[in-house]
Amino acid sequence: YLVEGYINTHNYDVALQSINKIKTPSSEILKAKQKILYRLGVQEFINGDMSGAISFMDKSIELARYGQATHSDALYWKAEALYRKGDYRNAANCYRMSIMKGGSNNNRAHYGIGYSQFQQKKYSEARKEFVQFVNNSSGEEKEVVADALNRIADCYFYQRDYNTADQYYKLSASTDRSASDYALYRSALALGLSNDYAGKIATLNSMIEKYPNSVYTEQAYYEIGR
């Protein structure tokens, strides 16, 4: 009952101390411990301590048999922490394990794998994951969907499929305004590399008109000059 009281008041550190004093904890108590360790890991993540977050998530994962949903969530947030530490290979593996266990973060895990692969310049693999995320993006924030569309476009761009890249940049720009300046700028570059210089200039002028204070505006003027 004391443990329940601490959990209900989000006093997870003290709840964990109480649980650790129980010599023969029941399955119910161990399930509570699994959740507490996970929540402590999330707190460390929010505080910016990725190593601390991973440590708590690992301890929660050790108690996986007591709750599959918590297990999946712990794997997902461990992957997020690994990504922020720059460990992209292990982050991708952890995202995949989270997907295998099911849970509420499955689609976001595909988004995470996409970025993990993108950072490793594995553009074909990254593109597939971002496409998977976009295809199941009902309920996701438009800003995140637009970002995923930009990354799909980037993958095509780096693989020199400029026409397809241009299509996805334009789709991103029409999905959400938050990343439209980037999408229009990159769309213009793709058009230029396809030798459509008139289209490139028109797109850059459109970007400058819509987003005069964009970080890409100065470079856009330079590209028009070229």
Side-chain angles (χ1 to χ4, degrees), residues 86-158:
D87 190 349
Y88 304 123
R89 184 177 62 82
N90 283 323
N93 290 336
C94 218
Y95 282 126
R96 290 190 187 97
M97 286 190 286
S98 173
I99 292 170
M100 288 173 61
K101 297 298 178 183
S104 59
N105 294 305
N106 269 19
N107 203 38
R108 281 299 183 102
H110 284 292
Y111 180 74
I113 295 171
Y115 260 107
S116 298
Q117 302 291 55
F118 188 84
Q119 294 288 3
Q120 297 177 81
K121 299 183 179 180
K122 297 179 179 179
Y123 299 121
S124 293
E125 294 89 338
R127 189 182 72 243
K128 291 175 184 176
E129 298 295 334
F130 285 124
V131 168
Q132 176 82 0
F133 170 78
V134 170
N135 288 343
N136 296 281
S137 60
S138 176
E140 298 283 357
E141 296 94 331
K142 287 186 177 180
E143 180 179 354
V144 180
V145 177
D147 180 75
L149 289 167
N150 273 332
R151 297 295 81 76
I152 294 170
D154 285 342
C155 290
Y156 279 115
F157 187 95
Y158 292 131

Side-chain angles (χ1 to χ4, degrees), residues 12 34-58 60 70 72-78 80-81 84 105:
Y12 303 125
Q34 179 196 20
K35 290 182 178 180
I36 289 167
L37 289 166
Y38 160 70
R39 290 171 183 174
L40 286 168
V42 172
Q43 284 185 349
E44 293 299 303
F45 183 92
I46 292 169
N47 292 334
D49 182 357
M50 298 303 133
S51 295
I54 291 168
S55 177
F56 277 118
M57 293 306 174
D58 280 337
S60 178
T70 304
S72 174
D73 289 342
L75 286 166
Y76 173 81
W77 285 102
K78 179 182 177 181
E80 289 279 284
R84 281 158 178 76
N105 294 305

